[in-house]
Amino acid sequence: MRKERLGILCSGRGSNLASIIEAVERGDIPAEIAVVIADKADAYALERAREKGIPAVPVIYRDYAERADFERALLKKLQAHGVTLVVLAGFMRILSPIFVHAYTGRILNIHPALLPSFPGAHAHRDALAYGVKVSGCTVHFVDEGMDSGPIIMQAAVPVLEGDTEETLAARVLEQEHRIFPASIKLYVEGRLRADGRKVQILPVAEGGSL
């Protein structure tokens, strides 16, 4: 069986990246992290990768005049490292159809809300403003829309009286660190089957194989 090679895209400190690295090191995710790419030179995610001996590559968004040029540079780096699954771990860029088509069905994202509610970059702010009693996070396949791909896994988090964006984000992040590695594991094991909007999680057969 071919071992999946993960290409992880980040924009910030990389806390989800850290949880994925730990899961790979424990053997929970039977895959290799081929490269970590950040769109900002000072993203701490790059340092996290370097500390673990993982190739860490900055591809700086502002260095490119057009988004298409930036995405071509991303794809070139991913392909050069033999990436078979793209993981968006706090990557704050919307990917164009050209990029998505290059890895159709092979891009996973984590979003800090219970999709389809509160897509976009301000999920915690929007959830609090709406007055919901429950928020959470969602792992989904990436399609051409914004946070609109088929849902793989979700976790709910209560919204408490007096919550701020920061306090809610901290509790949601704990669940992100749990369900994102779990979803990647399911993909790597070949246990995800997408049928339109529905994603089926296949059972493990006796003996541990599908």
Side-chain angles (χ1 to χ4, degrees):
M1 183 182 295
R2 182 188 66 177
K3 194 169 188 178
E4 296 286 350
R5 291 175 59 81
L6 312 183
I8 304 181
L9 306 188
C10 305
S11 292
R13 58 195 179 94
S15 68
N16 270 304
L17 168 65
S19 70
I20 296 166
I21 291 173
E22 290 171 4
V24 170
E25 290 178 337
R26 290 194 305 266
D28 292 346
I29 299 175
E32 177 183 357
I33 301 176
V35 65
V36 171
I37 299 175
D39 62 342
K40 299 175 182 177
D42 60 352
Y44 186 61
L46 294 172
E47 184 60 30
R48 290 185 191 272
R50 294 183 185 111
E51 289 174 355
K52 295 293 185 176
I54 299 167
V57 179
V59 178
I60 311 306
Y61 183 80
R62 65 173 179 268
D63 288 348
Y64 298 88
E66 303 289 340
R67 182 174 72 166
D69 296 330
F70 168 71
E71 290 191 353
R72 279 192 287 269
L74 282 181
L75 288 171
K76 184 176 180 180
K77 294 296 184 183
L78 292 169
Q79 292 161 359
H81 286 85
V83 168
T84 59
L85 175 65
V86 179
V87 177
L88 309 183
F91 187 65
M92 303 304 290
R93 304 286 174 189
I94 297 175
L95 297 172
S96 75
I98 293 173
F99 187 102
V100 173
H101 289 166
Y103 278 93
T104 299
R106 296 184 292 149
I107 310 174
L108 303 186
N109 183 47
I110 183 83
H111 181 72
L114 295 175
L115 294 173
S117 297
F118 312 120
H122 303 287
H124 300 306
R125 181 198 68 187
D126 295 344
L128 290 172
Y130 201 86
V132 297
K133 302 302 183 184
V134 177
S135 189
C137 50
T138 303
V139 181
H140 63 95
F141 285 107
V142 173
D143 62 9
E144 296 180 15
M146 182 176 67
D147 300 324
S148 60
I151 291 169
I152 298 168
M153 192 177 293
Q154 293 181 300
V157 171
V159 178
L160 304 179
E161 192 70 28
D163 257 339
T164 64
E165 290 183 50
E166 291 73 22
T167 59
L168 178 57
R171 289 202 310 284
V172 170
L173 194 60
E174 292 179 2
Q175 296 304 312
E176 292 181 39
H177 293 169
R178 181 178 65 84
I179 70 169
F180 206 10
S183 297
I184 297 168
K185 173 182 172 69
L186 291 171
Y187 179 94
V188 168
E189 292 177 342
R191 294 176 56 200
L192 298 178
R193 178 181 295 164
D195 181 12
R197 286 224 49 86
K198 295 185 177 180
V199 177
Q200 180 184 4
I201 297 177
L202 304 175
V204 176
E206 290 186 15
S209 60
L210 296 174

